[in-house]
Amino acid sequence: MHDDAALRKRAERVIPGGMYGHMSVYRKMPAGYPQYFHRADGCRLWDVDGNEYIDFMCAFGPMIAGYGNARIAAAAEAQRDLLDIANGPPPVLVDLAERFVRQVSHADWAIFAKNGNDATTVCNMVARARSEKRNILVAAGAYHGAQPWANRMSRGTPEQDHALFPTYTYNDAGSLTAAAAAVSGDLAGIVVSAFRHDAGYHQELPDPAFARTARAICDAEGAALILDDVRAGLRLSLDASWSLLGVQPDLSAWGKAIANGEPLSAILGSEPYRDAAAAIFVTGSFWYQGAPLAAAVETLDLLSEVDAPALLERLGVLFRDGLAEQAIRYGHAIRQSGPPQMPTVMFEDDPNADKGKAFCVHALHHGVYLHPWHNMFLSTAHTEADIEQALAATAKAFQALG
C-alpha cells in the first residue's frame, strides 16, 4: 500500500505544483482530502491510506454507471481484444454514431473525440465553417474547457484569444440579446450550458424564456445554437438536456459520462451542419480508439434500460431532502441548487466556503466524499442504502460544526 503523504512529496519533485488541474487537492481543497486513490468499486473509493468513502463526485462526472461496471468493462475489453488502435477505426464507430442519432432528437450525425473541450471546440469550428462568420457568444464565467479560447481564468491565455468570444449573462435574455446585437451580421454561434454550473456559485436551472431567446437569435442570425452537454449529458435526460425545455440545439458537445470512464467525447449535429462538419479537418491520435466506443454503446443501452435520469433524480431528491432536514435540525443555513442528479450544497453567508470546507472534512472523516464548492454527481451504482449511510455521516458532520 502506498502512502498519500509520501506520494505528494515525490510528486512535488517531478510534477509542477505537486498536481495539476481540477483534481489537485492543493488548489482550494481543505487539508485532509486524499490526493491519491488505490481502488474503486460501484459508488465507493478507497484512498491509498486504506480509507473508504461513498463517493459523490464520480471522478468529476464520468462514472455514471459506477466504478468498474462489469457489463461496460466487458464490452470495452472484448473490443480491445479484437482491435483498439489501428490504421482505421473498428465498425463500432458506426454503431455508436447510429446509436446516438437514434437517441438524440436533434442529431443527424456524430463525430467522436476524447475530451469535452475537443467537443466544444469542434462545435465552434463547424458553426464558423457553415456561417463563414466569426463571433461566438459564451456566458460570462462559464466553463467550456481548459483550451485558451474557453479559459479566461488562467495565466497563459492572452486576451486576444477571447476577442471573438463576447460574453453574456446566463439566464438573462436581455443580456444575450444585447451581446448578439453588438456583433449582428458576424455571429457564428451561441454556446449555452445545460444549466448554469459555474464552480463556486449557486447553480441555476435554465429559464425557458432565455432558452427560447437563444434559439430565436440563432434562427434570425443564421447562427448555431451550441449546447455544451459535456457535464450534464445523460444525467438530466437521455436526449440533449435542453430537450426538457422544448428547445433543440443545432450542435451539441458531449463527454464525461458517455462511456462510463473510458476516454471519449462526442459532437452531435443536425442536417444543415453536415457539410460544414465534413469540410473541417479535426483529428487526434486516439480519437478512433475502439474500446471507448464499445463502452459507450453499452453505457447508452444500460442507462436507457434503467431510465437513468429518473433513477438519479429520485436518489438525488432523497439525498437533498435528508440534508435539508439535518441542516434545520442542527441549526445551519444551507442552499441546495441545480438539479438533484448533480447536487450542489453550499452554506449561506459563507463567501470563502470556510464552513462548507469544514463540513466536507467532517463528512470525509465519516466515510463520505463530498465537494464544498463544485457540483457533485450521482451514479446508477448509488442505492437508497448508500444514500441513507451517507446521510448518517452528514448528520455527524453537521453536528460537529457546532
Side-chain angles (χ1 to χ4, degrees):
M1 181 73 72
H2 289 286
D3 174 87
D4 191 271
L7 283 166
R8 293 193 199 201
K9 289 181 180 179
R10 289 169 55 193
E12 286 170 359
R13 292 192 293 270
V14 293
I15 297 174
M19 186 53 62
Y20 48 90
H22 64 294
M23 290 189 179
S24 172
V25 302
Y26 295 82
R27 302 178 63 201
K28 299 186 179 181
M29 293 301 284
Y33 265 72
Q35 180 65 80
Y36 294 93
F37 295 88
H38 174 62
R39 70 183 183 96
D41 182 56
C43 68
R44 295 177 184 257
L45 281 173
W46 286 261
D47 66 26
V48 294
D49 293 326
N51 301 301
E52 178 182 346
Y53 310 100
I54 300 174
D55 178 32
F56 284 90
M57 287 307 293
C58 296
F60 283 78
M63 308 309 300
I64 193 169
Y67 295 101
N69 182 282
R71 177 173 158 185
I72 296 170
E77 289 308 309
Q79 179 60 56
R80 211 181 317 268
D81 287 344
L82 289 172
L83 181 145
D84 196 20
I85 290 287
N87 297 356
V92 70
L93 175 77
V94 181
D95 296 339
L96 181 57
E98 290 174 338
R99 184 70 173 76
F100 264 119
V101 167
R102 289 197 305 271
Q103 179 167 318
V104 176
S105 53
H106 84 88
D108 294 303
W109 51 264
I111 295 171
F112 301 105
K114 283 298 173 193
N115 296 296
N117 208 168
D118 295 338
T120 55
T121 300
V122 172
C123 284
N124 292 346
M125 293 174 68
V126 172
R128 285 170 166 155
R130 180 174 187 265
S131 67
E132 298 185 343
K133 299 173 184 177
R134 301 177 300 165
N135 288 279
I136 293 178
L137 304 185
V138 296
Y143 184 79
H144 300 295
Q147 291 183 15
W149 75 263
N151 189 350
R152 281 177 159 88
M153 62 185 181
S154 176
R155 297 180 65 179
T157 58
E159 186 56 36
Q160 292 90 329
D161 287 345
H162 311 136
L164 295 176
F165 293 92
T167 60
Y168 64 90
T169 301
Y170 193 91
N171 262 347
D172 186 331
S175 168
L176 181 59
T177 299
V183 294
S184 182
D186 195 20
L187 180 63
I190 299 174
V191 180
V192 294
S193 300
F195 63 97
R196 186 178 181 183
H197 44 58
D198 305 356
Y201 296 91
H202 300 302
Q203 316 291 274
E204 294 179 24
L205 299 179
D207 180 349
F210 166 77
R212 290 192 295 270
T213 297
R215 180 68 270 173
I217 291 171
C218 288
D219 290 342
E221 291 280 347
L225 181 58
I226 302 167
L227 175 64
D228 180 351
D229 232 349
V230 171
R231 191 180 304 190
L234 303 179
R235 280 189 166 87
L236 308 189
S237 172
L238 296 179
D239 201 339
S241 291
W242 270 25
S243 66
L244 299 170
L245 306 174
V247 174
Q248 295 292 349
D250 300 297
L251 303 166
S252 58
W254 301 68
K256 288 193 182 293
I258 64 173
N260 199 50
E262 291 279 348
L264 189 70
S265 62
I267 303 94
L268 307 183
S270 60
E271 188 61 37
Y273 288 82
R274 182 189 296 272
D275 289 345
I280 66 171
F281 180 79
V282 290
T283 192
S285 296
F286 307 104
W287 281 21
Y288 310 91
Q289 188 181 7
L293 300 169
V297 172
E298 199 68 31
T299 299
L300 294 180
D301 286 346
L302 186 154
L303 298 180
S304 179
E305 290 165 16
V306 301
D307 191 2
L311 171 61
L312 300 181
E313 182 177 23
R314 179 172 58 81
L315 293 170
V317 169
L318 185 64
F319 189 50
R320 176 173 287 180
D321 289 349
L323 291 173
E325 185 278 325
Q326 290 174 355
I328 293 170
R329 188 196 324 165
Y330 292 106
H332 298 286
I334 63 170
R335 180 172 172 182
Q336 302 191 72
S337 59
Q341 299 97 316
M342 300 170 63
T344 299
V345 184
M346 299 176 69
F347 285 77
E348 301 283 14
D349 300 319
D350 189 28
N352 298 316
D354 293 329
K355 187 176 288 187
K357 292 174 183 177
F359 171 75
C360 287
V361 169
H362 288 307
L364 199 71
H365 292 161
H366 292 289
V368 175
Y369 194 107
L370 306 174
H371 203 290
W373 49 269
H374 194 287
N375 75 269
M376 296 177 280
F377 299 88
L378 286 163
S379 75
T380 62
H382 287 87
T383 66
E384 290 189 12
D386 294 317
I387 299 298
E388 291 172 5
Q389 183 179 344
L391 288 171
T394 56
K396 295 175 183 176
F398 276 119
Q399 188 174 20
L401 283 179

